[in-house]
Amino acid sequence: MAVIRPFNAVRPTRDKVSLIASRSYQSYTPAEREARLDHNPYSFLHIVNPGYKYQKVINGEERFELVRNRYQEFKEDGIFIKDKVPSLYIYKIIDRDFQEFTGIIGASSAEDYQNNIIKKHEDTIEYRETLFKDYLKTVGFNAEPVLLTYEENETISSIMKKVMASRAEYEFTTTYRDTHYLWPITGTQEIDTIVKEFEQMPELYIADGHHRSASSVLLNHDMSSSKDSNINESYKYFMSYYISEENLKIHQFNRLVRDLNGLSKEEFLIKLDMVFRIENRGTQQYRPSKKHHFSMYLDGHFYSLYLRKRYRNFNNPLEALDTQILYDILLNPILGIEDVRNDKRLSYIHGKNDLVDVKYAVDAKEFEVGFGMLPITMEELKSIADNNLTMPPKSTYIEPKLRSGICIYEF
């Protein structure tokens, strides 16, 4: 039984939402961040980067305290207002490529995560879990929802269509050329129906936000152990964006490696020939069309790599995953990469731009070789989660990517 719970969101006033909404802090170049912080006093970046006011980098607990201060200042100035009625929120994005994503923002249960109703497919790092838990505990709010996915549900879809037939509370286009819409669902009948439909779902899957959800569970554990009688139940939940599987877009992460591990080009190709059927495609960009087919860009040429049939005897869904195959067959034994999370010789670049970025990085001599593959499917993701397995790092780049500052969950 999956939980979705309405909550009283803290939201920007309609006239300022387009100025406040921001991408994740890391997605901006330093020049982009500086421009927004210099010229937009309402950007949510001022909250998450409070040291900018003093032209100083601030970390740790001191930063957390100042984030809380900046957030409270936005509330005191009437930039953020808390909804009086517990609501669910329909959030729609039409991106620059005219892809449309529509889902519901609501509160998820930490207990669902602990009981594996909310299923995971990635490992988390304990240090990052604890750091973000401490951050949430200090600032008292969460502005980045976890992305959860579920099987298409006609009843939920019909309610969403009905609500979206009315004027959106927010409708704005960003300089990134994405258009964003938000509709609060305040009717008790619609909310009750949506809640009951989710109660009939045996599981939900995390598409993006493994560390955010794990940190929220740690926070719930801390607060549940507290003897403070004033603690409310909001800590038992965390903000999520519920979106149907059909409405997600999964891209691959391509791999780039800085050197050939001491091998010459010819020695490297011979080793590859042991496990792949190789064909030099010249300067024509090669895109894989089947699972277990890979593209490679090396020394100005594209290659197709087809995994030889004798290596296709898989014992579980993880072994059959192309990102795992690339590590087991190539990155580790041939290129000597053991730690795919921390090895400085290995880098990742998402596949939204196909292999153009891979070619550019290799041609610029930043890397020696690059590899591409097909995106992981939703069925593969669910199979990994259902079998309590975890994918290698950077196996999926999943859209949509939501803006911060549009809906905020307070503890």
Side-chain angles (χ1 to χ4, degrees):
M1 184 179 84
V3 170
I4 183 171
R5 183 177 186 258
F7 67 101
N8 302 71
V10 175
R11 300 189 288 113
T13 56
R14 183 186 288 179
D15 62 313
K16 294 183 178 66
V17 63
S18 62
L19 297 170
I20 288 169
S22 69
R23 305 199 310 269
S24 66
Y25 185 82
Q26 294 80 8
S27 69
Y28 293 99
T29 65
E32 287 175 329
R33 282 197 297 267
E34 187 170 345
R36 281 158 175 76
L37 289 164
D38 274 345
H39 303 294
N40 179 5
Y42 298 109
S43 173
F44 196 75
L45 294 175
H46 283 287
I47 293 177
V48 296
N49 184 22
Y52 186 79
K53 181 177 181 179
Y54 306 104
Q55 296 297 301
K56 179 178 173 60
V57 176
I58 303 173
N59 295 307
E61 185 63 30
E62 186 179 34
R63 173 177 169 264
F64 300 168
E65 295 281 356
L66 290 181
V67 167
R68 182 179 63 186
N69 289 351
R70 294 291 171 276
Y71 174 66
Q72 293 300 329
E73 288 167 8
F74 271 51
K75 289 180 68 178
E76 291 164 5
D77 292 342
I79 299 167
F80 283 139
I81 298 173
K82 189 168 187 174
D83 284 341
K84 296 179 179 179
V85 179
S87 307
L88 299 174
Y89 303 86
I90 298 174
Y91 185 10
K92 181 171 82 170
I93 303 171
I94 301 176
D95 72 12
R96 62 167 72 185
D97 299 317
F98 303 104
Q99 296 180 111
E100 187 172 314
F101 306 97
T102 307
I104 300 175
I105 295 176
S108 301
S109 167
E111 193 172 288
D112 280 359
Y113 181 95
Q114 291 173 302
N115 294 335
N116 206 34
I117 293 171
I118 295 176
K119 295 191 172 184
K120 309 164 281 292
H121 66 266
E122 288 184 7
D123 269 333
T124 53
I125 301 171
E126 185 176 353
Y127 166 76
R128 287 182 59 190
E129 288 181 21
T130 303
L131 182 67
F132 193 61
K133 181 261 294 181
D134 293 341
Y135 170 85
L136 294 175
K137 197 171 186 177
T138 300
V139 303
F141 70 89
N142 187 4
E144 297 183 48
V146 173
L147 194 64
L148 297 180
T149 187
Y150 61 92
E151 290 188 4
E152 184 69 35
N153 181 289
E154 290 185 9
T155 301
I156 295 173
S157 295
S158 65
I159 292 174
M160 292 170 69
K161 288 176 183 177
K162 179 182 176 182
V163 174
M164 289 190 295
S166 62
R167 181 192 178 193
E169 175 71 11
Y170 298 151
E171 179 181 353
F172 64 95
T173 300
T174 70
T175 54
Y176 210 59
R177 291 181 289 164
D178 297 335
T179 303
H180 299 251
Y181 305 82
L182 185 107
W183 293 263
I185 306 176
T186 56
T188 55
Q189 184 176 344
E190 288 90 347
I191 290 174
D192 288 346
T193 300
I194 291 171
V195 168
K196 288 175 182 176
E197 289 299 314
F198 275 100
E199 285 177 349
Q200 297 176 44
M201 298 180 190
E203 67 267 318
L204 301 169
Y205 295 86
I206 298 176
D208 191 23
H210 285 78
H211 281 92
R212 293 194 295 276
S213 50
S215 298
S216 297
V217 171
L218 285 180
L219 179 64
N220 173 54
H221 182 267
D222 275 11
M223 303 311 291
S224 298
S225 303
S226 173
K227 296 180 180 179
D228 186 350
S229 59
N230 294 320
I231 294 173
N232 60 46
E233 287 202 344
S234 58
Y235 286 104
K236 298 180 183 296
Y237 301 88
F238 55 91
M239 185 168 63
S240 295
Y241 183 60
Y242 298 74
I243 186 168
S244 69
E245 295 170 8
E246 291 78 2
N247 208 206
L248 282 178
K249 179 67 175 177
I250 304 177
H251 299 278
Q252 75 279 18
F253 267 103
N254 297 321
R255 273 66 171 148
L256 291 158
V257 184
R258 296 191 185 279
D259 60 67
L260 298 182
N261 196 29
L263 300 170
S264 68
K265 173 184 170 181
E266 292 72 22
E267 290 170 335
F268 177 60
L269 290 173
I270 289 171
K271 286 186 176 293
L272 289 186
D273 199 294
M274 299 294 179
V275 290
F276 296 103
R277 287 187 60 182
I278 305 176
E279 184 176 345
N280 188 330
R281 304 290 182 126
T283 57
Q284 180 180 357
Q285 187 177 123
Y286 167 71
R287 302 177 184 85
S289 59
K290 294 180 180 179
K291 287 293 176 184
H292 316 324
H293 289 191
F294 302 85
S295 77
M296 180 175 73
Y297 186 68
L298 173 68
D299 193 25
H301 289 252
F302 285 96
Y303 294 80
S304 59
L305 308 179
Y306 300 164
L307 185 66
R308 295 191 181 277
K309 291 183 178 180
R310 66 176 177 270
Y311 290 96
R312 299 188 186 191
N313 299 316
F314 308 119
N315 296 312
N316 60 56
L318 179 60
E319 291 183 2
L321 214 60
D322 281 348
T323 50
Q324 187 68 37
I325 290 169
L326 197 67
Y327 173 76
D328 289 338
I329 299 294
L330 199 163
L331 295 179
N332 179 245
I334 297 176
L335 291 178
I337 292 171
E338 296 183 3
D339 185 351
V340 291
R341 193 182 295 275
N342 299 308
D343 196 314
K344 301 300 183 184
R345 296 170 55 225
L346 176 66
S347 189
Y348 303 91
I349 188 165
H350 67 67
K352 280 192 69 175
N353 298 329
D354 210 352
L355 293 165
V356 174
D357 293 335
V358 171
K359 181 180 185 302
Y360 178 83
V362 175
D363 287 346
K365 306 300 182 184
E366 297 174 25
F367 298 90
E368 192 74 19
V369 62
F371 302 97
M373 67 206 80
L374 285 179
I376 284 167
T377 66
M378 192 65 218
E379 289 71 26
E380 288 177 308
L381 184 151
K382 290 169 68 175
S383 182
I384 292 291
D386 289 343
N387 285 275
N388 296 314
L389 300 169
T390 55
M391 296 181 185
K394 301 295 185 183
S395 286
T396 57
Y397 179 85
I398 297 180
E399 294 183 298
K401 301 295 184 187
L402 305 186
R403 296 272 167 153
S404 295
I406 295 176
C407 254
I408 297 172
Y409 182 82
E410 284 191 333
F411 305 113

